[in-house]
Amino acid sequence: MTIAEERIDRLHALARTAVREGHEDRARTYVRRARRIAERNRCGLDRSFKRFTCDRCDVYLRVGDNARVRLQNGHVVITCSCGAQSRYPYQ
């Protein structure tokens, strides 16, 4: 595990705790910083990180708080409070 991947994992954990405590702006900063580190070092983000962050507003999604999850025709649809939707297939 490289230093960049360790930093991304740490920022993911910090974003999760920041949202849990109600600091969405701080979580948004952590998510943006983690994405920027991943871009610069050409390393991918974990599936859990990709699925629980909004692509439009960069907030860490917490189901029931700022995100809604629905099942539609073999897909999981996650809707952020900003209105952006993400669809992921399931079997």
Side-chain angles (χ1 to χ4, degrees):
M1 183 175 272
T2 64
I3 294 172
E5 291 171 345
E6 290 177 10
R7 180 76 172 144
I8 290 169
D9 288 341
R10 178 70 177 141
L11 288 169
H12 183 207
L14 288 171
R16 187 180 319 124
T17 56
V19 165
R20 191 177 311 134
E21 294 172 358
H23 303 291
E24 287 191 12
D25 292 334
R26 189 180 302 164
R28 185 175 286 122
T29 303
Y30 293 147
V31 169
R32 286 181 181 154
R33 193 169 291 166
R35 285 185 176 171
R36 179 123 180 172
I37 290 170
E39 286 176 5
R40 285 186 174 182
N41 293 290
R42 293 186 180 210
C43 57
L45 296 170
D46 291 343
R47 179 181 286 179
S48 62
F49 189 84
K50 286 182 190 176
R51 290 195 178 185
F52 289 105
T53 56
C54 179
D55 291 333
R56 190 191 308 177
C57 65
D58 289 330
V59 73
Y60 191 83
L61 299 175
R62 188 168 181 209
V63 178
D65 187 24
N66 61 0
R68 183 179 69 200
V69 178
R70 299 288 186 259
L71 302 177
Q72 293 178 351
N73 300 329
H75 288 87
V76 178
V77 180
I78 301 175
T79 306
C80 179
S81 59
C82 72
Q85 291 184 344
S86 301
R87 294 169 41 105
Y88 303 107
Y90 72 91
Q91 296 178 350

